[in-house]
Amino acid sequence: MRSRDTRGAKTPRHQTAPILGAHESIGGGVSTAIERAQKIEAQALQLFTKNSNQWKGKLLTSQEAEEFREKRSKAGIQFAFAHDSYLINLASPDKSLRARSIAAFLDEMDRAELLDLDFIVFHPGAHMGDGIGQGCGRVADAMSQVLEKRPKQNVRLLIENAAGQGTTLGRTFEELAQIREGVEDKARVGFCFDTCHAFAAGYELRTKEGYEATMKELNRTVGLDHVRAFHLNDSKKGVDCRVDRHQHIGKGEIGLEAFRMLLNDPRFSGRPMVLETPKSHDLHEDIENLSTLRGLID
């Protein structure tokens, strides 16, 4: 396996631009995600390591993992990371569901480590009416548990900001910071910034003043150095709608200027930025969206 910096900083010193890619399907096997990433000329890749709507997935064999690692190396994928199952809710007040979520998250970590992935991006979950403080505390406690049980793993856990639907946690940067603050092993915890989610949660990104104010708040709360990855998605709904609906780059309510500012922000040079925009099976949407993004880079 590759030797990795557990702080997640492995960007070449000459790298001055963001590292673009997309979330790709593992239909046909995990290594097929690498093949799809190659077709869109991606340098970064996000994937599910199993079916995202099932608690248990097919066991990954050492042969499958070796094939994935070899294909990634040959393809020049600088960052490859997982998104966890949508069923997991580390914030749940239901003891049975929370225990099941923790067990499933440990499985996610083991699969990511076997594939030599850099990160696991995950949603904090929903407090189910029990309160933000209680919910954040449960997420932090669950993260401390899984990190303690896997002390030698290199994979880093990235908390993703949320749009704010229902009782989901992570709508505000303060909530994200509160979760990390409660984790014992903070060195292995960072954040993934989703543009659609931030916009839907009420953070302005479309103007220079709004963008800078949002980034200033992000830095004050979680620290920009801890934002290790980005999801690049436009939004079908307006600012502060609290609705998570992704749209193609430049075709939603956010518009192109926000992505231009983000892509050319030197504070995020060398960070992986992946699409989660709508797509069919032939990848043409990914190709078009990446072409749009690359055209925004000065």
Side-chain angles (χ1 to χ4, degrees):
M1 292 187 180
R2 294 174 293 117
S3 176
R4 283 187 283 145
D5 183 341
T6 57
R7 296 170 298 175
K10 61 185 192 104
T11 304
R13 291 184 179 182
H14 64 274
Q15 182 73 48
T16 59
I19 300 172
L20 297 178
H23 182 107
E24 297 300 345
S25 168
I26 61 168
V30 289
S31 64
T32 62
I34 299 291
E35 297 168 12
R36 294 182 175 97
Q38 284 183 288
K39 290 179 180 179
I40 63 173
E41 299 182 356
Q43 294 176 296
L45 168 67
Q46 180 180 270
L47 70 157
F48 295 117
T49 64
K50 63 179 183 60
N51 189 308
S52 61
N53 291 307
Q54 293 181 3
W55 285 105
K56 291 184 178 181
K58 179 183 175 182
L59 183 68
L60 281 175
T61 66
S62 58
Q63 182 179 352
E64 288 176 308
E66 183 178 359
E67 181 181 6
F68 178 91
R69 295 192 298 266
E70 288 180 353
K71 285 187 176 182
R72 174 186 174 180
S73 178
K74 291 179 181 179
I77 302 296
Q78 295 186 47
F79 285 90
F81 49 97
H83 195 297
D84 76 330
S85 167
Y86 292 137
L87 299 177
I88 292 174
N89 183 9
L90 300 179
S92 176
D94 183 286
K95 293 183 179 180
S96 176
L97 177 58
R98 186 163 178 269
R100 194 175 190 183
S101 295
I102 291 173
F105 200 90
L106 283 167
D107 179 58
E108 296 274 5
M109 293 177 67
D110 293 340
R111 297 169 77 89
E113 188 72 8
L114 183 62
L115 295 172
D116 206 17
L117 300 182
D118 301 287
F119 314 124
I120 296 176
V121 175
F122 70 101
H123 300 160
H127 61 73
M128 309 300 290
D130 206 30
I132 292 174
Q134 292 289 334
C136 288
R138 282 193 292 268
V139 178
D141 178 72
M143 293 177 69
S144 293
Q145 288 186 49
V146 298
L147 289 169
E148 183 179 4
K149 290 180 179 179
R150 300 293 187 269
K152 296 183 179 180
Q153 289 190 355
N154 290 313
V155 65
R156 185 168 181 160
L157 310 184
L158 302 188
I159 311 167
E160 181 180 352
N161 61 307
Q165 289 179 287
T167 66
T168 55
L169 298 168
R171 180 183 70 84
T172 68
F173 301 154
E174 286 87 353
E175 291 173 22
L176 299 176
Q178 183 178 345
I179 293 171
R180 184 175 185 271
E181 184 60 31
V183 180
E184 292 182 12
D185 189 0
K186 295 179 180 60
R188 297 165 68 188
V189 178
F191 303 95
C192 176
F193 183 92
D194 187 300
T195 53
C196 174
H197 295 177
F199 183 73
Y203 292 101
E204 184 58 78
L205 297 168
R206 297 169 292 186
T207 65
K208 182 177 180 180
E209 295 77 11
Y211 176 86
E212 287 300 336
T214 294
M215 293 304 158
K216 182 178 180 180
E217 179 66 8
L218 185 64
N219 188 45
R220 182 189 69 82
T221 50
V222 308
L224 297 184
D225 287 345
H226 297 305
V227 181
R228 303 307 312 169
F230 291 81
H231 288 164
L232 302 184
N233 305 300
D234 211 320
S235 176
K236 290 185 177 181
K237 301 292 184 178
V239 66
D240 204 23
C241 63
R242 310 286 179 91
V243 178
D244 181 8
R245 295 292 184 272
H246 297 185
Q247 180 58 291
H248 298 294
I249 304 299
K251 296 182 178 180
E253 295 295 324
I254 297 177
L256 291 178
E257 192 57 32
F259 295 100
R260 186 191 309 277
M261 290 185 285
L262 180 59
L263 290 166
N264 292 289
D265 193 327
R267 295 170 293 187
F268 304 126
S269 295
R271 308 287 173 91
M273 298 184 175
V274 299
L275 296 167
E276 288 185 323
T277 44
K279 71 171 100 180
S280 58
H281 296 292
D282 62 3
L283 301 178
H284 77 272
E285 293 98 337
D286 280 352
I287 294 171
E288 291 178 3
N289 281 310
L290 286 176
S291 177
T292 298
L293 290 171
R294 287 166 180 150
L296 298 174
I297 299 174
D298 293 337

